[in-house]
Amino acid sequence: KNQVEQSPQSLIILEGKNCTLQCNYTVSPFSNLRWYKQDTGRGPVSLTIMTFSENTKSNGRYTATLDADTKQSSLHITASQLSDSASYICVVSSFTSGTYKYIFGTGTRLKVLA
Amino acid sequence: KAGVTQTPRYLIKTRGQQVTLSCSPISGHRSVSWYQQTPGQGLQFLFEYFSETQRNKGNFPGRFSGRQFSNSRSEMNVSTLELGDSALYLCASAPLGGQGLDEQYFGPGTRLTVT
């Protein structure tokens, strides 16, 4: 069964600290993996998109990694800021029989404290 | 450039009624996708429209339908509302969408409450 699991479910860190969010998937065949940031009451915003051949992609203080062999991805946030408080959602897409499927993780809720 | 807009932002309906939600994509974008977000299930893909044609569909019952107009604006309709349809409905637009590496831009969503 195609699944995307994220951990931890929630996380609290102090401003300025680093953190890493995990995404494990069992989606096959794999097309690409995206990380989104969703602030409360707003739509998700794309952070990174990675294909099978990419193993690292950065967007400012956000760095995503992908290990296609172990089917794991992580999102590392460096020098966290209060504005990083949000939900982070991992999405894996799969292409079969001419159509795409999107499998979403349930997200990690991050809270950054001053 | 204006972002993705969705109307209405909030809606309260009664079980059995139907509802229509609207989405205006970013100018020039031809792909519009719809998602349902609930606390329990997270984000789930409903369908994607491209050039007025449904290109992709998630696993939702036929009560959920949509359409796209020639100006790329899209509407989503839910008939015979159930309590479980209470959710945030998000619309996302992309230049080409599909599984290209187009970035999707989400709107703020429509919060639907079914009583």
Side-chain angles (χ1 to χ4, degrees):
Chain A
K1 182 183 176 185
N2 288 327
Q3 278 189 313
V4 174
E5 294 184 354
Q6 292 187 244
S7 61
Q9 210 168 20
S10 61
L11 183 61
I12 300 175
I13 61 174
L14 292 176
E15 188 179 16
K17 297 295 186 183
N18 302 336
C19 67
T20 300
L21 314 181
Q22 298 289 345
C23 173
N24 296 340
Y25 61 92
T26 57
V27 178
S28 182
F30 174 89
S31 180
N32 61 59
L33 183 148
R34 301 173 185 233
W35 281 95
Y36 286 96
K37 177 189 178 189
Q38 185 175 21
D39 293 314
T40 301
R42 308 185 81 162
V45 173
S46 178
L47 294 174
T48 62
I49 305 171
M50 301 176 73
T51 60
F52 185 88
S53 59
E54 297 174 294
N55 51 31
T56 302
K57 185 165 276 191
S58 292
N59 179 355
R61 294 180 297 103
Y62 301 100
T63 299
T65 65
L66 174 64
D67 185 333
D69 291 331
T70 62
K71 298 187 176 181
Q72 296 180 324
S73 176
S74 65
L75 180 69
H76 186 75
I77 304 175
T78 304
S80 61
Q81 300 175 357
L82 297 178
S83 59
D84 292 331
S85 295
S87 288
Y88 292 84
I89 302 168
C90 173
V91 185
V92 179
S93 63
S94 177
F95 181 63
T96 56
S97 304
T99 61
Y100 295 99
K101 302 293 181 189
Y102 304 91
I103 301 92
F104 291 83
T106 53
T108 291
R109 187 177 295 275
L110 173 65
K111 189 166 182 62
V112 180
L113 300 178
Chain B
K1 212 177 213 185
V4 178
T5 59
Q6 292 187 243
T7 57
R9 292 293 313 278
Y10 303 91
L11 203 50
I12 300 175
K13 289 286 189 178
T14 305
R15 265 183 306 174
Q17 288 186 315
Q18 74 164 18
V19 67
T20 299
L21 312 181
S22 181
C23 171
S24 292
I26 291 172
S27 177
H29 285 191
R30 296 166 62 189
S31 164
V32 174
S33 298
W34 288 90
Y35 299 84
Q36 181 195 66
Q37 187 174 35
T38 60
Q41 297 288 327
L43 267 166
Q44 295 183 86
F45 171 69
L46 280 156
F47 29 65
E48 180 202 7
Y49 284 87
F50 180 82
S51 293
E52 301 178 67
T53 301
Q54 187 181 87
R55 181 161 65 177
N56 200 359
K57 188 177 186 304
N59 295 323
F60 276 80
R63 300 186 296 107
F64 293 82
S65 63
R67 59 177 175 168
Q68 186 180 35
F69 302 95
S70 58
N71 62 359
S72 292
R73 189 178 71 84
S74 178
E75 287 182 347
M76 191 193 91
N77 185 274
V78 188
S79 62
T80 319
L81 284 166
E82 301 177 358
L83 294 179
D85 296 334
S86 294
L88 180 68
Y89 289 89
L90 291 160
C91 161
S93 80
L96 297 174
Q99 268 305 283
L101 297 180
D102 274 0
E103 183 156 337
Q104 281 193 319
Y105 297 84
F106 282 82
T110 293
R111 172 77 60 188
L112 171 65
T113 302
V114 182
T115 62

